[in-house]
Amino acid sequence: MQKIAITYGILSGTITILTLILGLVVSDGGSFLSSETFGYLTMLVALSMIFIGIKRYRDQELGGVIRFLPALATGLAIAVIAGVIYTVVWELYSMSTNYAFIDSYVNSAIEAKRAAGLTGERLALEIAALEEMRANYGKFYIRMPMTFLEIFPVGLIIALISAALLRNPKFLPARQIS
């Protein structure tokens, strides 16, 4: 299981972070490539490696049968490895850009609040919350777990669904070579 978890975790984490960084680099900061929707779609596609990893483990190492908890453990191991890779590479990217992402994010969020028509005390509260986020993002012990928690819940959901589906040996059974 360790080899499967490491292989598919590295694939998943690498696909996710490289696609997201490429999206940020080539976009103007306001396009779909830099949006949260794009980020989570990328994670969803890349974390499909969890399903593939569990299926491969079931079919090639366990003879086509796996119980729910071992399948879930395999999926979670892949998700954790992907999350660690995502977090470490994002931290390196952020350092290389002098943490410009958070400034861009907060500034565009403030502009979006203004464009949505927020004014007065409500706008001031929103700005204060965003400024607090900016200040907290400057602390690595908050930033790194926050970054990990961007990707891990997606992996957890995919691991749960994959384990539930793949515990049934009749679901996408291994092909028999005749």
Side-chain angles (χ1 to χ4, degrees):
M1 178 187 73
Q2 288 178 345
K3 183 179 176 186
I4 295 279
I6 291 168
T7 301
Y8 287 93
I10 290 171
L11 277 170
S12 185
T14 303
I15 291 167
T16 302
I17 195 67
L18 291 180
T19 304
L20 292 178
I21 289 174
L22 182 63
L24 285 172
V25 169
V26 300
S27 74
D28 60 2
S31 73
F32 178 70
L33 293 176
S34 63
S35 70
E36 288 180 18
T37 303
F38 176 73
Y40 282 105
L41 284 173
T42 299
M43 289 177 195
L44 188 62
V45 170
L47 289 168
S48 67
M49 292 295 157
I50 292 170
F51 180 87
I52 295 167
I54 295 171
K55 183 173 181 347
R56 184 173 181 124
Y57 181 55
R58 177 192 79 173
D59 294 347
Q60 293 185 355
E61 295 186 27
L62 299 178
V65 178
I66 193 168
R67 293 186 11 230
F68 179 79
L69 288 178
L72 180 61
T74 303
L76 290 176
I78 294 168
V80 166
I81 292 167
V84 168
I85 289 170
Y86 176 80
T87 302
V88 168
V89 175
W90 179 256
E91 186 66 18
L92 293 171
Y93 170 77
S94 295
M95 281 191 294
S96 74
T97 61
N98 202 25
Y99 302 97
F101 169 79
I102 193 63
D103 292 328
S104 174
Y105 179 83
V106 168
N107 293 340
S108 66
I110 290 170
E111 288 308 312
K113 303 281 183 199
R114 286 188 176 126
L118 254 71
T119 58
E121 186 176 323
R122 181 73 179 145
L123 178 62
L125 287 172
E126 294 287 336
I127 290 173
L130 287 164
E131 291 300 339
E132 181 179 0
M133 175 196 261
R134 184 189 326 245
N136 285 335
Y137 201 81
K139 301 169 187 163
F140 80 93
Y141 56 88
I142 292 176
R143 180 180 57 251
M144 290 183 77
M146 186 185 333
T147 303
F148 182 81
L149 288 174
E150 289 173 7
I151 190 171
F152 185 74
V154 179
L156 173 63
I157 291 167
I158 293 172
L160 285 166
I161 292 169
S162 299
L165 292 172
L166 291 169
R167 69 182 169 83
N168 180 354
K170 294 177 183 173
F171 183 77
L172 297 174
R175 293 195 291 169
Q176 301 297 324
I177 300 174
S178 332

